[in-house]
Amino acid sequence: MKYKRILLKLSGESLMGEKQFGIDNVRLTEYAREIKTLVDTGVQVAIVIGGGNIFRGVQAEEGGMERTQGDYMGMLATVINSMALQSSLEQEGVDTRLQSAIELKQIAEPFIRRRAIRHLEKGRVVIFGGGTGSPFFTTDSAAALRAVEIEADVILKGTRVDGIYTEDPEKNPDATRYDEISFREVFERGIKVMDMTAFTLCNENGVPIVVFDMNKSGNLLRVSKGEAIGTVVTS
């Protein structure tokens, strides 16, 4: 395996599957089985999930709600998604721990870096819910922060497209995919990979990002082996 400890970043929207809102249990089971396949090889897996399938703080602000309140509601949405994925993983026989940046002692451990690393070393999947615990930060920023804290080898950003393109491939079929691109090139070309806070954190701490199609069976395992799947962003 090329990567021994990975942080998998999933969007909340990816859990919707074919639905327009909420969680598609079929998609959830598919993801759980993909993750189990990876865990069975001995790779240490941490996960951060967005909450956009349930609630987005930015949208709340556009509707007139205070941004801080909206962001906290969005954090709770990520916890709901995290609990759903934890349940699916456990049904597949994967030992899982949920840690939340917001104190929710009935359902999750508090985020404690040393404890998280110990869980990973014991082969448990650790899901980080509640974002960073602070408003004005996205779950991309949470993923970057946690990846740095647990000393992950890479962030695997699972999306519905198979990498980073010169243009939006859904709008321009002639767009070409990058196999590898530097942080500097992404910044200079204005390509949207993660928000700038997350992106800068990864760049400054030497954490590469791999953007790949999570919905294609077997891709997660292949990316972890270092196969040329998706696009690698490096310093």
Side-chain angles (χ1 to χ4, degrees), residues 56-172:
R56 294 177 69 89
V58 174
Q59 292 173 342
E61 185 182 28
E62 291 170 354
M65 183 181 292
E66 183 191 13
R67 172 67 187 271
T68 302
Q69 191 80 338
D71 279 356
Y72 278 117
M73 292 169 71
M75 289 178 219
L76 294 176
T78 72
V79 174
I80 292 172
N81 283 339
S82 297
M83 291 175 68
L85 182 59
Q86 180 183 34
S87 179
S88 284
L89 283 167
E90 289 177 343
Q91 286 176 14
E92 296 298 322
V94 180
D95 200 6
T96 310
R97 293 293 185 274
L98 171 57
Q99 291 196 346
S100 173
I102 301 172
E103 187 174 357
L104 297 162
K105 60 185 178 181
Q106 285 84 355
I107 56 176
E109 297 177 359
F111 170 68
I112 299 172
R113 175 182 173 273
R114 289 178 183 273
R115 183 182 288 179
I117 291 173
R118 185 67 178 138
H119 287 322
L120 292 168
E121 290 172 344
K122 288 185 175 181
R124 297 165 182 154
V125 170
V126 181
I127 305 173
F128 298 118
T132 65
S134 299
F136 302 101
F137 291 94
T138 66
T139 48
D140 277 349
S141 292
L145 179 62
R146 297 292 181 247
V148 172
E149 287 180 304
I150 67 170
E151 301 175 1
D153 298 323
V154 66
I155 292 178
L156 303 184
K157 186 173 170 66
T159 67
R160 62 185 181 187
V161 293
D162 61 345
I164 299 171
Y165 283 76
T166 51
E167 297 178 63
D168 187 342
E170 295 180 348
K171 295 179 180 177
N172 182 1

Side-chain angles (χ1 to χ4, degrees), residues 194-212:
M194 285 182 159
D195 70 77
M196 195 52 63
T197 303
F199 198 68
T200 302
L201 198 56
C202 290
N203 186 21
E204 290 180 347
N205 290 277
V207 180
I209 304 166
V210 181
V211 180
F212 73 105

